[in-house]
Amino acid sequence: MIVVDSSVWIDYFSGVVNIQTDKLDGTLGQGPVAIGDLILTEVLQGFRHDKDYKAARGLFEDVTIFEMLGSQMAIKSADNFRALRKKGITVRKTADVIIATFCIEQKLPLLFSDKDFKPFVEHLGLVAF
């Protein structure tokens, strides 16, 4: 199972062709794909037209959706943010910290195109798909 970040889903739904969207396209229907509740929110809030929104919601019915944050995950996310900050790295979005931490803790690879995840790969053991 892989978790797919909103950075890839947004490109996918926008028709952008890149390495990550090709990987997503090749994985859909072939292997288990998951997202988190935060990712679902980020993706769905971007649709302007009801038709596109409904089509995306329909696709996500066949995807595993994880609840990514609870009190223990919140603390672990803060710990990871602080660990990176001590190395001089500041992650711009709290949602990315939560998503990366969830994937690290659950030992799930993350498919992403957002550069904010790279420090989690380099320093905290996030597995990039």
Side-chain angles (χ1 to χ4, degrees), residues 12-25:
Y12 183 79
F13 286 122
S14 298
V16 174
V17 177
N18 58 34
I19 293 168
Q20 293 82 10
T21 58
D22 284 347
K23 285 182 179 180
L24 174 57
D25 196 47

Side-chain angles (χ1 to χ4, degrees), residues 80-101:
N80 284 343
F81 179 88
R82 294 181 75 248
L84 291 175
R85 189 172 60 190
K86 287 177 184 177
K87 294 181 179 293
I89 302 164
T90 301
V91 180
R92 298 175 297 153
K93 295 179 271 180
T94 300
D96 290 348
V97 177
I98 295 166
I99 293 163
T101 300

Side-chain angles (χ1 to χ4, degrees), residues 5-7 39 42 84 91 93 95-101 103 110-123 126:
D5 180 56
S6 59
S7 57
I39 297 166
E42 288 179 325
L84 291 175
V91 180
K93 295 179 271 180
D96 290 348
V97 177
I98 295 166
I99 293 163
T101 300
C103 290
L110 178 65
L111 177 59
F112 63 89
S113 59
D114 185 334
K115 65 182 180 179
D116 280 336
F117 290 107
K118 288 184 179 182
F120 292 94
V121 173
E122 294 169 9
H123 301 285
L126 176 64

Side-chain angles (χ1 to χ4, degrees), residues 59-104:
L59 186 142
F60 287 131
E61 288 176 3
D62 294 327
V63 171
T64 299
I65 302 172
F66 290 112
E67 292 184 17
M68 296 189 125
L69 190 63
S71 58
Q72 288 183 345
M73 195 62 64
I75 293 167
K76 187 63 180 169
S77 295
D79 291 345
N80 284 343
F81 179 88
R82 294 181 75 248
L84 291 175
R85 189 172 60 190
K86 287 177 184 177
K87 294 181 179 293
I89 302 164
T90 301
V91 180
R92 298 175 297 153
K93 295 179 271 180
T94 300
D96 290 348
V97 177
I98 295 166
I99 293 163
T101 300
F102 178 86
C103 290
I104 292 166

Side-chain angles (χ1 to χ4, degrees), residues 41-52:
T41 300
E42 288 179 325
V43 173
L44 291 179
Q45 71 188 6
F47 287 102
R48 291 193 172 129
H49 303 290
D50 289 344
K51 177 183 173 188
D52 297 332

